[in-house]
Amino acid sequence: MTNRIVIIGSINVDNILHINRLPQPGETIAMSEYSQAAGGKGANQAVASARSGAATTFIGRVGDDNNGWLMIEKLKREGIDVQHVITSHTLPTGQAYILLQESGQNSIIIDHGANYQVMVEDVAAAADAIQAADFVITECETPISAAAAAFHQAKAAGVRTILNPAPANQRLTPELLAYTDIIVPNETESGTLTGMPITDQASLAANAAYFRERGVATVLITLGDQGVYVVTDTGSRLLPAFPVHAVDTTGAGDAFIGALASELQPDLSNLYAAVQYAQRASSLAVQGLGAFPSIPHRLAVLAAAKNA
């Protein structure tokens, strides 16, 4: 069965500065290369979902500019339904400035632009798509009020919700958490949101307990090359990562979430298998440059698993 996914989120153009290392305070360094790629956490997740075979609908905003027109065309080419992507006439399309080190690690600065104009009204206009979905996904590069409205609609219709609380610079409201079925932070984001940095197994378990105490039944904390810590009503389990050489980690978490939603059964009966599929997709994504360009298609994920 093909999953139907609705994503409410951000659309950005990524400006990538290739550098040897991060500059020290007051230091000037040269970049070795400059490149651009399509991105934004929401758009990345939508592409990952579509490339893994899900029927994907997007709710978001772009500016009335070249970047906005470009991004809409890119999403259309992936087979993503963009009828609920609205053009803003007052703010530009969002942009990200990515400092990409030779190690593959990145630091990202966001200009939200039109992404911060995503409104509750935009969600209401997409009610039919939300109610017909298997999963609704959102993150924190668009307003929390719109995210909560989308999740409220989803839960009222019996639709599963997945929250990627990234970046972790907005306060997650009790309402949003109460409407969240699955939360997927990385270890840094989780520590920031809970106020408990993850340093060992005990703090990892305490982080998961924090979210579950606030109504989130399933917690997936991604731990980079250490894997994914999965906590459900039946217990906890660490699923190891697949070891690869990372070239660019931009969009790796988004590749994970989109792939997860495409593979996961709505009753969550195949949760562990879906997490492993998503880990495989993420491991392929970090081996390429850029967000959109590196997100794998389903056949590539299955081939990597077969050849492992």
Side-chain angles (χ1 to χ4, degrees):
M1 185 188 80
T2 299
N3 277 354
R4 294 160 297 177
I5 310 297
V6 172
I7 295 175
I8 174 171
S10 57
I11 298 173
N12 292 328
V13 170
D14 292 344
N15 302 278
I16 306 167
L17 285 62
H18 300 253
I19 56 177
N20 175 258
R21 57 172 175 79
L22 292 176
Q24 297 298 312
E27 181 185 17
T28 300
I29 65 172
M31 60 181 170
S32 59
E33 183 184 351
Y34 169 80
S35 60
Q36 274 193 327
K41 294 194 71 62
N44 294 341
Q45 291 166 14
V47 169
S49 170
R51 288 184 182 175
S52 275
T56 307
T57 298
F58 198 90
I59 304 170
R61 291 203 177 211
V62 295
D64 186 11
D65 50 36
N66 288 336
N67 282 342
W69 306 328
L70 171 70
M71 290 301 297
I72 287 176
E73 285 306 310
K74 284 185 176 290
L75 293 173
K76 283 182 178 178
R77 285 201 293 269
E78 299 290 340
I80 296 167
D81 184 342
V82 296
Q83 65 175 308
H84 298 293
V85 177
I86 297 170
T87 299
S88 168
H89 298 286
T90 57
L91 288 175
T93 301
Q95 295 193 73
Y97 299 87
I98 300 171
L99 303 178
L100 176 60
Q101 302 176 63
E102 284 188 355
S103 66
Q105 290 299 312
N106 61 55
S107 302
I108 303 175
I109 304 166
I110 295 289
D111 174 14
H112 291 288
N115 291 313
Y116 260 27
Q117 285 189 331
V118 176
M119 301 178 181
V120 172
E121 291 80 1
D122 300 346
V123 172
D128 288 348
I130 290 172
Q131 291 164 11
D134 294 300
F135 293 96
V136 172
I137 305 172
T138 194
E139 22 68 26
C140 297
E141 286 184 343
T142 48
I144 292 294
S145 57
F151 276 20
H152 184 211
Q153 281 192 32
K155 294 303 292 179
V159 176
R160 296 280 190 178
T161 57
I162 301 175
L163 174 62
N164 173 216
N169 55 10
Q170 293 197 62
R171 188 176 69 86
L172 301 182
T173 63
E175 177 189 31
L176 181 61
L177 289 173
Y179 295 142
T180 298
D181 290 311
I182 304 171
I183 194 167
V184 192
N186 66 30
E187 57 188 313
T188 302
E189 293 156 354
S190 184
T192 297
L193 292 166
T194 65
M196 298 179 287
I198 294 175
T199 57
D200 54 20
Q201 179 61 37
S203 57
L204 181 59
N207 269 255
Y210 174 95
F211 294 117
R212 283 179 50 80
E213 288 164 3
R214 285 156 178 79
V216 184
T218 301
V219 180
L220 310 179
I221 301 177
T222 60
L223 305 169
D225 60 7
Q226 299 301 305
V228 180
Y229 183 61
V230 181
V231 182
T232 68
D233 290 341
T234 60
S236 62
R237 183 174 169 185
L238 178 64
L239 297 180
F242 300 109
V244 295
H245 173 66
V247 173
D248 180 5
T249 58
T250 305
D254 302 327
F256 176 90
I257 290 167
L260 174 76
S262 73
E263 187 73 6
L264 190 58
Q265 295 294 324
D267 63 2
L268 311 189
S269 58
N270 68 332
L271 177 63
Y272 293 121
V275 169
Q276 289 182 309
Y277 174 88
Q279 284 181 289
R280 186 74 69 182
S282 181
S283 74
L284 292 174
V286 301
Q287 296 180 66
L289 290 173
F292 275 27
S294 66
I295 293 170
H297 289 78
R298 180 173 181 81
L299 288 178
V301 179
L302 296 178
K306 183 178 179 179
N307 296 330

